Amino acid sequence: MSQLRVLIVGASIAGPMAAYWLAKTGARVTVIERFPTLRTNGQSIDIRTTGVTVMRKIPGMEAAVRAKRTQIEGLRFVGNVGQIYGTIRATGNPDQQSLLSEYEIFRGDLAKILYDLSEDNENVHYVFGEQIASMQQKEDDNGPVKVEFANGFPSSEYDLVVAGDGATSRTRAMGFGGNARDHIDPVNSWAAYFSIKQDLIDGSKLGHGYTATGGRFLAIGQDPAGGNTVNLMGIQPRDKRDVTLPFREAMKQGEEPLKRFIAQHYKDAGWKTEEAMAGMMDSSNFYASEMVQVRVPSLHKGRFVLVGDAGYAPGPTGTGTTLALTGAYVLAGEVGKHKGDLAAGLRGYEERMKPIIKDMQKIPPMVLSIMAPQTTWGIWLRNNIFAFIAWTNILEFAQRHFMGSATGTDKYGLPHYDWVA
């Protein structure tokens, strides 16, 4: 049988992970990325549950991730003059994680680890600065996909095209028809990340979290390169109409207009926000995006398939990286298991992933309201309740025994697959 020809779009997390596993089925894989180089910036992300299971199946990956952990020892919640309300720490048990993961790593560091795992494989070829211009499948979906590229890479035919280019995937729109915002379920929130040169938390190894009225959340931690990392979230109630439109309009205008929009949003928010906004304006690694969930009726259409956020972005559940690693593993495993019957492999992928996706996309009740209350009264109440449960250790007990799909062990029983390479 001829070697399966696979095109993967996106070289962040899901794409390189899918390339690694698909190459182990014997496939010949091309990965394209629209940015000119591998993106090594981004916020801290977590590996949990099935993501840990997948990581441990790859020789050396767990050690590589541990070597690049953020080194944050916990998250301390503070008030508008820096008063401490309570602290969350990791459990120390990677198989029963708290709200803080034992495997917290910056997105760019994980992307580099995954890229390095597959870059030297003779069956994997990366092409940067490229994207799809057009894609054509036969009407009966029984035959290769003809792909033309935008920036000079030769047109070619592929047996399988994998979209791993994020929640607002352009490739999903091409493969399914429609536009990039189809299948998006907004959660009326956005997030931004950047580094600043100043140390606003005096060398503390605890991240500091602060909430201002209007759903404005700010977290500051130590940057391994010096200074601080800053994470922002603008959170509005889900029962409101789409309130992220001004954010998206600013984002379309470019980085500087978006920075100005965020600075205005955080004006007079208190605590360290003024210093953080000043640092943001000079930051060279600024990144921001809308937080959304992606819900599609099917993960594949013919020989076109979705993996990671492009198919099942979970929004603010903290499971996006885990779903990306898991989906890439299951996709490749099912394709390899049904060698010679690609349609059966894609059906197997869908059947395996749908229950996991459904579980990991569940947003715990009140989680956004608790993270960023809208009113002064709501913030006061949240802070004092949190101070009480932190003082009594109820939170630690609950984290260890009652937290949901983002914190516990792998309860899904991922299958073992046999690989040929």
Side-chain angles (χ1 to χ4, degrees):
M1 181 180 294
S2 60
Q3 197 174 22
L4 192 73
R5 301 164 297 175
V6 180
L7 174 67
I8 297 175
V9 183
S12 180
I13 305 299
M17 188 80 283
Y20 173 86
W21 289 114
L22 283 164
K24 290 179 73 64
T25 71
R28 186 170 73 250
V29 183
T30 301
V31 184
I32 63 169
E33 167 58 53
R34 67 187 179 94
F35 286 90
T37 60
L38 187 72
R39 291 176 295 159
T40 56
N41 65 336
Q43 74 279 20
S44 59
I45 54 179
D46 299 338
I47 303 174
R48 300 175 179 271
T49 63
T50 52
V52 176
T53 302
V54 172
M55 175 176 67
R56 289 174 173 170
K57 292 177 180 291
I58 301 173
M61 182 175 170
E62 184 174 10
V65 168
R66 285 188 177 278
K68 286 291 186 178
R69 287 170 57 198
T70 60
Q71 305 302 318
I72 292 176
E73 296 179 355
L75 179 61
R76 171 173 288 167
F77 287 88
V78 300
N80 60 352
V81 293
Q83 67 272 37
I84 300 167
Y85 287 99
T87 302
I88 299 173
R89 296 181 184 271
T91 65
N93 178 5
D95 296 318
Q96 188 62 59
Q97 300 187 46
S98 72
L99 294 175
L100 290 180
S101 173
E102 302 296 320
Y103 301 105
E104 183 171 312
I105 183 173
F106 290 113
R107 190 210 64 82
D109 289 335
L110 181 58
K112 182 65 165 60
I113 288 170
L114 298 177
Y115 172 75
D116 289 345
L117 284 172
S118 55
E119 177 196 15
D120 293 333
N121 190 309
E122 63 181 5
N123 283 326
V124 179
H125 177 52
Y126 282 89
V127 180
F128 289 93
E130 190 56 274
Q131 54 190 319
I132 293 178
S134 67
M135 182 169 55
Q136 295 180 342
Q137 282 199 81
K138 293 183 179 179
E139 289 188 10
D140 60 4
D141 297 331
N142 187 24
V145 183
K146 184 176 181 180
V147 179
E148 295 184 349
F149 298 92
N151 299 320
F153 192 68
S155 301
S156 189
E157 291 185 339
Y158 297 91
D159 301 303
L160 179 64
V161 176
V162 181
D165 51 340
T168 55
S169 168
R170 304 175 186 181
T171 317
R172 182 181 65 230
M174 290 184 184
F176 282 4
N179 63 67
R181 287 197 68 81
D182 288 348
H183 312 296
I184 282 181
D185 183 11
V187 296
N188 281 348
S189 303
W190 51 262
Y193 165 87
F194 52 91
S195 297
I196 60 175
K197 296 177 182 178
Q198 307 97 308
D199 180 3
L200 302 180
I201 55 175
D202 300 322
S204 174
K205 292 187 177 180
L206 294 170
H208 286 52
Y210 168 72
T211 303
T213 55
R216 295 174 290 179
F217 180 78
L218 165 75
I220 301 176
Q222 291 297 330
D223 188 335
N228 292 152
T229 61
V230 179
N231 286 276
L232 307 174
M233 283 190 283
I235 297 172
Q236 294 295 318
R238 294 193 70 185
D239 58 0
K240 288 190 174 183
R241 298 182 62 185
D242 184 5
V243 293
T244 60
L245 182 59
F247 171 84
R248 300 200 306 269
E249 291 296 328
M251 189 162 57
K252 288 178 183 178
Q253 296 173 35
E255 183 174 302
E256 292 306 313
L258 182 55
K259 284 182 176 180
R260 290 195 294 270
F261 170 85
I262 292 173
Q264 180 63 34
H265 183 75
Y266 274 83
K267 186 177 180 180
D268 300 324
W271 191 49
K272 303 285 186 178
T273 56
E274 184 176 347
E275 297 94 326
M277 293 303 101
M280 177 186 70
M281 301 307 294
D282 296 326
S283 177
S284 61
N285 66 344
F286 174 85
Y287 175 81
S289 65
E290 182 186 7
M291 290 194 292
V292 300
Q293 292 193 322
V294 171
R295 301 178 184 275
V296 292
S298 174
L299 295 178
H300 70 284
K301 181 181 179 182
R303 292 171 175 254
F304 174 75
V305 66
L306 307 172
V307 69
D309 281 355
Y312 31 85
T317 65
T319 58
T321 303
T322 290
L323 276 170
L325 298 178
T326 305
Y329 170 78
V330 173
L331 171 62
E334 292 294 323
V335 167
K337 176 181 174 181
H338 296 89
K339 207 171 187 72
D341 190 347
L342 185 59
L346 296 178
R347 287 195 301 270
Y349 165 61
E350 183 125 13
E351 291 167 4
R352 287 280 185 185
M353 285 302 298
K354 276 300 179 73
I356 302 174
I357 294 167
K358 182 179 179 180
D359 197 20
M360 292 195 182
Q361 282 192 328
K362 291 177 182 175
I363 301 176
M366 302 294 291
V367 66
L368 294 178
S369 298
I370 292 170
M371 182 176 293
Q374 300 295 310
T375 66
T376 301
W377 161 249
I379 294 171
W380 179 89
L381 182 64
R382 188 279 312 272
N383 285 347
N384 282 280
I385 291 174
F386 183 73
F388 173 75
I389 62 177
W391 175 69
T392 59
N393 288 325
I394 292 174
L395 181 61
E396 182 179 349
F397 179 82
Q399 286 178 159
R400 289 179 180 272
H401 299 287
F402 298 112
M403 296 305 291
S405 60
T407 56
T409 55
D410 173 10
K411 65 182 181 182
Y412 305 99
L414 287 186
H416 169 78
Y417 296 110
D418 293 322
W419 311 98
V420 300

